[in-house]
Amino acid sequence: MAGPRVVIIGAGVVGAALADEISERGWTEVTVVDQGPLPATGGSSSHAPGLVFQTNPSKTMTEMARYTVEKFRSLEVDGKPCFLQVGGLEVATSPERVAELQRRHGWLTSWGIEARLLGPGECVEQHPLVNPDKVLGGLLIPTDGLAKAVLAVEAQIRRATERGVRFLDRHEVLDIRHSESRVTGVLTDRGEIPADIVVCCAGIWGPKIARMAGMNLPLTPLAHQLAWTGPVPALAGRTEEAVLPILRHQDADLYYRERFDGLGIGYYGHRPMPVSADDILSVDDAEEMPSVLKFTEEDFEDAWAETRSLLPATREAKVEEGINGLFSFTTDGLPLLGESPDIKGFWVAEAVWVTHSAGVGRAMAEWLVDGHCSSFDLHECDVNRFEPHQLAPEYVLARDCRNFVEVYDILHPLQPPEDLRPLRTSPFYDRQQELGAFFLEANGWERPQWYEANAGLVEGRSLVTPNDWAARFWSPVVGAEAQVTRETVALYDMTALKRLEVSGRGAAAFLERLCTGKVDKSVGSVTYTLLLDRDGGIRSDITVARLAPDRFQIGANGNLDLDWFTRHLPADGSVTVRDITAGTCCVGLWGPLARQVLQPLTAEDFSREGLKYFRAKQAYIGSVPVTAMRLSYVGELGWELYTTADQGRKLWDTLWEAARPLGGIVAGRGAFNSLRLEKGYRSFGTDMTYEHDPYEAGVDFAVKPDKGDFIGKAALERRRADVRRKLTCLTIDDPHDVVMGKEPVYDGDRPVGYVTSAAFGHTIGKGIAYAWLPAELAIPGHGLRIGYFDRRVEAVVAEEPLFDPTMSRLRG
């Protein structure tokens, strides 16, 4: 036996995949427990229809699906295959869906999956049951297909068993044992199993098991309808289980698969039917299996009517059986992976469907064995990504049900949720409402995108109206706000950005160990730096302001930064980390007239020498105590001004009263994003993630290799000499061709990369798109094309930054 003692709870497609992957990497002292019989244990895997569509706006989720396809294709049980690669076909019955399929084709091209768009006749050629008068077009993915989930479970169980993994069925988990915040074992109805690591892969029971370790999972089991027809005459005589492509009719929330001479019909168009994990029946009490509820025929009526319209051959068939099957939904539609923040050694791999199961098994095995995942970027999936309000039961239920309703909807990248708002508001919220703010949501915060009070600024300006898709959740006011920021001065609400405080006698040494830049500098210093993982991948980019010898303020990207700091705290109690976001607020005051606004309001010296670039000081602005940092994410002279939440509105009013006589405005996130791209500033999570290193991402200036050791330093030495891709600035001359992100980039007809962030540059008068490209193509002047719906947009590689390359405005 090798490796630590591992107990995996759940032997469905995720638990079986993890057991297989982790034992393949040499950890064999592994026990898998499940309350049900093997291999069909009674969870979602046991009734899943097995459709594997790889298309996803998330690169990570697509790559996990691709790995699942590749692995399942290699598996068989006694000569029976675990995957039927019949292809996948998505059809459009509306012009809007045709455009959506073009966008989805772009995602697949970006992520390296073969796909092609079809005309109506070609759709019928691929799937002859489809009504040619109803379909306007389609998207074909040849490598999609049907996963035989129970067979895949059995195949992976056999492989893991051969390596020494032990599988125990009919073992109900009663408790997670832990001592001094570390897991010690799993108590079952047949005794206790000692463990150094416990991984919860319990699926729809996940919240119940996680609570035993004090962990709150934002997961809701929801019933989803699946029906099976009797014989369809057009399929008579079929001896193979499936030949036709699996089919999605997303305009009607439907999908289809063959089963010999009948069809399986899945439906998402009915009312949400949530179930508490505590109310799911046991294996012995369930009539069929715990994850299967009674079919509600009345909820399926519209689905059956639409099916007979799309597939006329089904008019001669009947629905003979059906279930309401339970699946896991989360608040953002992504899996829950990672270790408990409180109980070391307790991990979860939850809210994972069959489509991504093998990929998640591999990711978790790498994470556990190697300390990080090398195959996939997991920042979107980390269970510790959520803010506290996102774990509230009311929030979880509402957003999980919303994601069920919207699972097949056409969603714009900026489209905000409609329910449970407002949740978090800055002290300036009522002032922003008075100024006609159009709000989008950011981590629960209401954040202005633009202000209707600035509508009068549009007149007389040369402002571009983008194409219809880019013009959603947009206004010409955005362009005016961007231009006025560069001309005079603007106030920006920066409260939604995460703020942490690191303090204690060991704070400086602690941050030196985690950061790529030198932060143990004089009081008042501000440092832009990176957090790296052990493999040299970027975990975050942050600012570190030293406000006292033993106190630092961190400008962070989200809760994962707090989690990262907390996990690395020294055991001697010399460092404390706390989230100060809710108790503070921030106004960005930026523009060439910013000093004329600020200096008359304070006795402190805010001249160029009085507070240099990337320095901080304590001051009073009027009667409000602030921490002022000479930073600017929009590339203009100015400051981030922080104060406590109770005095935020007074700070806003003081600045606003001083700015208005100078032509100052308030401005929103739309202008902010345009301005930051003109300066080439990266956004973590969009432009760079765990899979990228500083040299590829163009932020190697934040790495100080001559300082002491820091996490990831050794790996960087190896990566610096082998830069094969680069985050690259592209410009687009046609002002109407504003792309949105995730589009494929072509060199000639060859796809070579994908767009990350994009916006129109209202100062430079061009569209801007940052993209990941092979290093040899990142040459200024090189012409490329961006795939945008059914078009190819001309673009060219540009020198960056596009605006103020000498930094004279920032340092003025």
Side-chain angles (χ1 to χ4, degrees), residues 148-229:
K148 308 290 290 179
V150 175
L151 278 181
V153 167
E154 185 173 356
Q156 292 174 103
I157 286 176
R158 289 186 182 186
R159 284 159 50 121
T161 301
E162 290 175 356
R163 303 187 191 106
V165 174
R166 181 173 60 149
F167 286 82
L168 302 176
D169 64 356
R170 296 287 184 175
H171 279 61
E172 182 183 358
V173 173
L174 303 178
D175 197 13
I176 307 297
R177 300 297 201 194
H178 53 88
S179 176
E180 296 181 356
S181 300
R182 177 170 286 281
V183 74
T184 60
V186 174
L187 179 64
T188 77
D189 58 352
R190 299 195 185 188
E192 185 168 340
I193 306 169
D196 304 304
I197 293 172
V198 174
V199 188
C200 178
C201 304
I204 54 177
W205 291 277
K208 181 178 179 179
I209 299 298
R211 276 202 311 273
M212 298 175 184
M215 197 172 181
N216 185 5
L217 288 186
L219 181 158
T220 303
L222 281 109
H224 156 59
Q225 290 200 302
L226 176 65
W228 299 94
T229 72

Side-chain angles (χ1 to χ4, degrees), residues 76 156 162 227 373 497 600 722 747 796:
E76 62 175 37
Q156 292 174 103
E162 290 175 356
C373 177
L497 300 182
D722 189 28
D747 185 27
V796 64

Side-chain angles (χ1 to χ4, degrees), residues 347-360:
W347 293 68
V348 299
E350 290 292 346
V352 181
W353 292 4
V354 172
T355 299
H356 310 102
S357 58
V360 166

Side-chain angles (χ1 to χ4, degrees), residues 217-219 330 334-338 348-351 381-383 385-386:
L217 288 186
L219 181 158
T330 63
L334 292 164
L336 308 173
L337 312 179
V348 299
E350 290 292 346
C381 307
D382 194 312
V383 69
R385 65 189 180 268
F386 300 103

